[in-house]
PDB file of all heavy atoms in Angstrom:
ATOM      1  N   MET A 940     103.440  95.542  76.830  1.00 98.00           N
ATOM      2  CA  MET A 940     103.475  96.824  76.129  1.00 98.00           C
ATOM      3  C   MET A 940     104.513  97.708  76.793  1.00 98.00           C
ATOM      4  O   MET A 940     104.786  97.575  77.991  1.00 98.00           O
ATOM      5  CB  MET A 940     102.108  97.513  76.130  1.00 98.00           C
ATOM      6  CG  MET A 940     101.561  97.850  77.495  1.00 98.00           C
ATOM      7  SD  MET A 940      99.850  98.452  77.411  1.00 98.00           S
ATOM      8  CE  MET A 940      98.984  97.016  76.742  1.00 98.00           C
ATOM      9  N   THR A 941     105.090  98.620  76.038  1.00 98.00           N
ATOM     10  CA  THR A 941     106.080  99.533  76.578  1.00 98.00           C
ATOM     11  C   THR A 941     105.396 100.636  77.373  1.00 98.00           C
ATOM     12  O   THR A 941     104.441 101.257  76.901  1.00 98.00           O
ATOM     13  CB  THR A 941     106.903 100.170  75.446  1.00 98.00           C
ATOM     14  OG1 THR A 941     107.601  99.134  74.747  1.00 98.00           O
ATOM     15  CG2 THR A 941     107.904 101.165  76.000  1.00 98.00           C
ATOM     16  N   VAL A 942     105.885 100.853  78.591  1.00 96.00           N
ATOM     17  CA  VAL A 942     105.464 101.995  79.396  1.00 96.00           C
ATOM     18  C   VAL A 942     106.747 102.686  79.845  1.00 96.00           C
ATOM     19  O   VAL A 942     107.411 102.234  80.781  1.00 96.00           O
ATOM     20  CB  VAL A 942     104.611 101.578  80.607  1.00 96.00           C
ATOM     21  CG1 VAL A 942     104.150 102.817  81.374  1.00 96.00           C
ATOM     22  CG2 VAL A 942     103.407 100.751  80.169  1.00 96.00           C
ATOM     23  N   SER A 943     107.104 103.735  79.175  1.00 94.00           N
ATOM     24  CA  SER A 943     108.373 104.405  79.420  1.00 94.00           C
ATOM     25  C   SER A 943     108.365 105.121  80.764  1.00 94.00           C
ATOM     26  O   SER A 943     107.309 105.495  81.287  1.00 94.00           O
ATOM     27  CB  SER A 943     108.663 105.417  78.311  1.00 94.00           C
ATOM     28  OG  SER A 943     108.690 104.787  77.048  1.00 94.00           O
ATOM     29  N   ASP A 944     109.555 105.328  81.322  1.00 91.00           N
ATOM     30  CA  ASP A 944     109.679 106.135  82.528  1.00 91.00           C
ATOM     31  C   ASP A 944     109.090 107.511  82.272  1.00 91.00           C
ATOM     32  O   ASP A 944     109.240 108.085  81.192  1.00 91.00           O
ATOM     33  CB  ASP A 944     111.147 106.282  82.926  1.00 91.00           C
ATOM     34  CG  ASP A 944     111.741 104.987  83.456  1.00 91.00           C
ATOM     35  OD1 ASP A 944     110.960 104.064  83.770  1.00 91.00           O
ATOM     36  OD2 ASP A 944     112.981 104.916  83.547  1.00 91.00           O
ATOM     37  N   GLY A 945     108.403 108.037  83.284  1.00 88.00           N
ATOM     38  CA  GLY A 945     107.773 109.337  83.129  1.00 88.00           C
ATOM     39  C   GLY A 945     106.427 109.294  82.461  1.00 88.00           C
ATOM     40  O   GLY A 945     105.830 110.334  82.181  1.00 88.00           O
ATOM     41  N   THR A 946     105.926 108.080  82.190  1.00 89.00           N
ATOM     42  CA  THR A 946     104.584 107.916  81.624  1.00 89.00           C
ATOM     43  C   THR A 946     103.873 106.804  82.390  1.00 89.00           C
ATOM     44  O   THR A 946     104.452 106.126  83.223  1.00 89.00           O
ATOM     45  CB  THR A 946     104.630 107.539  80.131  1.00 89.00           C
ATOM     46  OG1 THR A 946     105.102 106.181  80.000  1.00 89.00           O
ATOM     47  CG2 THR A 946     105.555 108.465  79.356  1.00 89.00           C
ATOM     48  N   GLY A 947     102.600 106.600  82.084  1.00 87.00           N
ATOM     49  CA  GLY A 947     101.905 105.407  82.552  1.00 87.00           C
ATOM     50  C   GLY A 947     101.246 105.498  83.912  1.00 87.00           C
ATOM     51  O   GLY A 947     101.766 106.081  84.853  1.00 87.00           O
ATOM     52  N   TRP A 948     100.067 104.877  83.964  1.00 83.00           N
ATOM     53  CA  TRP A 948      99.267 104.742  85.184  1.00 83.00           C
ATOM     54  C   TRP A 948      99.225 103.241  85.439  1.00 83.00           C
ATOM     55  O   TRP A 948      98.641 102.485  84.680  1.00 83.00           O
ATOM     56  CB  TRP A 948      97.921 105.373  84.898  1.00 83.00           C
ATOM     57  CG  TRP A 948      96.742 105.005  85.735  1.00 83.00           C
ATOM     58  CD1 TRP A 948      96.702 104.348  86.909  1.00 83.00           C
ATOM     59  CD2 TRP A 948      95.391 105.343  85.409  1.00 83.00           C
ATOM     60  NE1 TRP A 948      95.411 104.238  87.344  1.00 83.00           N
ATOM     61  CE2 TRP A 948      94.598 104.839  86.452  1.00 83.00           C
ATOM     62  CE3 TRP A 948      94.788 106.013  84.350  1.00 83.00           C
ATOM     63  CZ2 TRP A 948      93.208 104.978  86.457  1.00 83.00           C
ATOM     64  CZ3 TRP A 948      93.415 106.145  84.367  1.00 83.00           C
ATOM     65  CH2 TRP A 948      92.635 105.640  85.415  1.00 83.00           C
ATOM     66  N   ILE A 949      99.894 102.796  86.510  1.00 85.00           N
ATOM     67  CA  ILE A 949     100.183 101.379  86.706  1.00 85.00           C
ATOM     68  C   ILE A 949      99.391 100.809  87.880  1.00 85.00           C
ATOM     69  O   ILE A 949      99.399 101.370  88.980  1.00 85.00           O
ATOM     70  CB  ILE A 949     101.687 101.148  86.971  1.00 85.00           C
ATOM     71  CG1 ILE A 949     102.539 101.915  85.955  1.00 85.00           C
ATOM     72  CG2 ILE A 949     101.990  99.654  86.942  1.00 85.00           C
ATOM     73  CD1 ILE A 949     102.258 101.590  84.518  1.00 85.00           C
ATOM     74  N   ALA A 950      98.736  99.681  87.646  1.00 83.00           N
ATOM     75  CA  ALA A 950      97.986  99.003  88.695  1.00 83.00           C
ATOM     76  C   ALA A 950      98.805  97.861  89.278  1.00 83.00           C
ATOM     77  O   ALA A 950      99.223  96.950  88.558  1.00 83.00           O
ATOM     78  CB  ALA A 950      96.671  98.459  88.134  1.00 83.00           C
ATOM     79  N   TYR A 951      99.046  97.933  90.565  1.00 83.00           N
ATOM     80  CA  TYR A 951      99.749  96.865  91.284  1.00 83.00           C
ATOM     81  C   TYR A 951      99.340  96.941  92.743  1.00 83.00           C
ATOM     82  O   TYR A 951      99.466  97.987  93.371  1.00 83.00           O
ATOM     83  CB  TYR A 951     101.263  97.020  91.158  1.00 83.00           C
ATOM     84  CG  TYR A 951     102.024  96.060  92.049  1.00 83.00           C
ATOM     85  CD1 TYR A 951     102.072  94.705  91.755  1.00 83.00           C
ATOM     86  CD2 TYR A 951     102.670  96.521  93.197  1.00 83.00           C
ATOM     87  CE1 TYR A 951     102.740  93.822  92.583  1.00 83.00           C
ATOM     88  CE2 TYR A 951     103.344  95.650  94.029  1.00 83.00           C
ATOM     89  CZ  TYR A 951     103.381  94.299  93.718  1.00 83.00           C
ATOM     90  OH  TYR A 951     104.044  93.433  94.541  1.00 83.00           O
ATOM     91  N   TYR A 952      98.834  95.814  93.293  1.00 80.00           N
ATOM     92  CA  TYR A 952      98.278  95.811  94.642  1.00 80.00           C
ATOM     93  C   TYR A 952      99.166  95.044  95.616  1.00 80.00           C
ATOM     94  O   TYR A 952      99.095  93.817  95.666  1.00 80.00           O
ATOM     95  CB  TYR A 952      96.892  95.158  94.649  1.00 80.00           C
ATOM     96  CG  TYR A 952      95.825  95.903  93.862  1.00 80.00           C
ATOM     97  CD1 TYR A 952      94.605  95.287  93.599  1.00 80.00           C
ATOM     98  CD2 TYR A 952      96.020  97.194  93.403  1.00 80.00           C
ATOM     99  CE1 TYR A 952      93.621  95.953  92.891  1.00 80.00           C
ATOM    100  CE2 TYR A 952      95.039  97.859  92.696  1.00 80.00           C
ATOM    101  CZ  TYR A 952      93.838  97.233  92.453  1.00 80.00           C
ATOM    102  OH  TYR A 952      92.860  97.889  91.754  1.00 80.00           O
TER     103      TYR A 952
END
Side-chain angles (χ1 to χ4, degrees):
M940 61 188 63
T941 298
V942 182
S943 302
D944 289 346
T946 71
W948 159 13
I949 313 303
Y951 172 72
Y952 295 168

